[in-house]
Amino acid sequence: MNVGTEWLVDAEGCSADRLCDLDAVRSLCEEVITALDLRVVGDALWHRFPEPGGVTGLYLLSESHLACHTFPETGIATFNLYCCRPRPPFAWDERLRSALDATRVTIRTAIRGSEAETDYALFETHLRELDATSEVSSR
Amino acid sequence: MNVGTEWLVDAEGCSADRLCDLDAVRSLCEEVITALDLRVVGDALWHRFPEPGGVTGLYLLSESHLACHTFPETGIATFNLYCCRPRPPFAWDERLRSALDATRVTIRTAIRGSEAETDYALFETHLRELDATSEVSSR
């Protein structure tokens, strides 16, 4: 039994300043929520850690959850979006490039539930090189 | 740059009553937190949905996050544990069998960060058939 799809999104090359800007990262998460018509239950949890000042946000959704962590020391932001009802894809690479200055975005999907053990084929990595000087690859 | 490891844990065949029991599921999550010496930031988010009464819990951790969703209608519970500092493995299959009556537990790991695009080999599924009448497989 499939109990949802999870997107694991990893963005590299991001602006450290953007990754420390809790309001900017929160705004991006709320854009995801609005774009996919997700329903937030209660108040989101947000925290800004001490220097180098990464942030974490967690949203409890009717559809499951959205989580975000930023690592300004490495220019990386990671997102988990777990939806137990079908949702269209979000334009992660376009929006993370624009909002966080990401140069590369990796999107993996995982089926949750009893199909997990056969999920090798379904666990696809979609890699887009956003740096035009690098080779564009996808798989 | 590796910014952590995530465990995606899917348990099947669970007792519907256990999956509706928020206190029991919370107790299990708190056992994970204690066993792995994780540090919770702020208050956890917990919610019990209307009938059939699944529950969701989210913990913001210094190490990243722990999320749990239960689906009593299908006997499934799913967990995400994302740790940006190395942690030993938790005894998921033993504990989920004991606490939730799970008959099968699938554990996948995903490396987060810029190694994500080469993570095919690292994204391993460890499947243990807890039903002794079934074939034991692992990969």
Side-chain angles (χ1 to χ4, degrees):
Chain A
M1 181 65 68
N2 174 340
V3 293
T5 298
E6 185 157 1
W7 286 268
L8 284 73
V9 181
D10 299 65
E12 297 169 66
C14 302
S15 151
D17 287 347
R18 302 280 181 94
L19 297 184
C20 291
D21 183 343
L22 193 150
D23 288 340
V25 178
R26 178 163 49 197
S27 174
L28 180 60
C29 287
E30 292 180 355
E31 180 184 331
V32 175
I33 288 166
T34 300
L36 301 184
D37 190 27
L38 303 172
R39 291 162 293 189
V40 179
V41 177
D43 293 327
L45 289 174
W46 279 98
H47 184 72
R48 186 171 193 270
F49 289 92
E51 291 297 328
V55 302
T56 287
L58 297 178
Y59 291 83
L60 197 161
L61 304 174
S62 289
E63 295 81 4
S64 294
H65 72 269
L66 171 65
C68 169
H69 305 284
T70 72
F71 304 87
E73 64 276 25
T74 56
I76 292 174
T78 67
F79 298 82
N80 286 66
L81 175 62
Y82 180 164
C83 287
C84 60
R85 70 178 172 108
R87 294 286 77 206
F90 181 71
W92 289 104
D93 48 22
E94 177 187 335
R95 291 300 301 131
L96 295 178
R97 176 176 50 172
S98 170
L100 303 180
D101 290 344
T103 56
R104 178 185 282 190
V105 177
T106 304
I107 303 170
R108 293 174 285 177
T109 57
I111 304 299
R112 303 304 304 261
S114 55
E115 296 171 21
E117 77 274 21
T118 59
D119 191 30
Y120 278 90
L122 299 170
F123 192 80
E124 298 174 2
T125 297
H126 303 284
L127 171 65
R128 177 174 296 179
E129 287 281 359
L130 298 173
D131 177 349
T133 63
S134 301
E135 181 184 351
V136 174
S137 33
S138 66
R139 45 189 297 190
Chain B
M1 180 66 67
N2 174 341
V3 294
T5 297
E6 185 156 0
W7 286 267
L8 283 73
V9 180
D10 299 66
E12 297 170 66
C14 302
S15 152
D17 287 347
R18 301 280 180 92
L19 297 184
C20 292
D21 183 344
L22 193 150
D23 288 340
V25 179
R26 178 163 49 199
S27 174
L28 181 60
C29 287
E30 292 180 355
E31 181 184 330
V32 174
I33 288 165
T34 300
L36 300 185
D37 190 26
L38 303 172
R39 292 161 292 188
V40 179
V41 177
D43 293 327
L45 287 174
W46 278 98
H47 183 71
R48 185 171 194 269
F49 290 93
E51 290 298 326
V55 303
T56 287
L58 297 179
Y59 291 83
L60 198 161
L61 305 173
S62 288
E63 294 82 4
S64 293
H65 71 269
L66 171 64
C68 168
H69 304 285
T70 72
F71 303 88
E73 64 276 26
T74 56
I76 291 174
T78 66
F79 298 82
N80 286 66
L81 175 62
Y82 180 164
C83 287
C84 61
R85 71 180 172 105
R87 294 286 76 206
F90 181 72
W92 290 104
D93 47 23
E94 177 187 336
R95 291 300 302 131
L96 295 178
R97 176 175 51 172
S98 171
L100 303 179
D101 290 344
T103 56
R104 177 186 282 188
V105 177
T106 304
I107 303 170
R108 294 173 284 176
T109 57
I111 305 300
R112 303 304 304 262
S114 55
E115 296 171 18
E117 77 273 21
T118 58
D119 190 30
Y120 278 90
L122 299 170
F123 191 80
E124 298 173 2
T125 296
H126 302 284
L127 172 64
R128 177 174 296 178
E129 287 282 358
L130 298 174
D131 177 347
T133 64
S134 301
E135 182 182 351
V136 174
S137 34
S138 65
R139 42 190 302 187

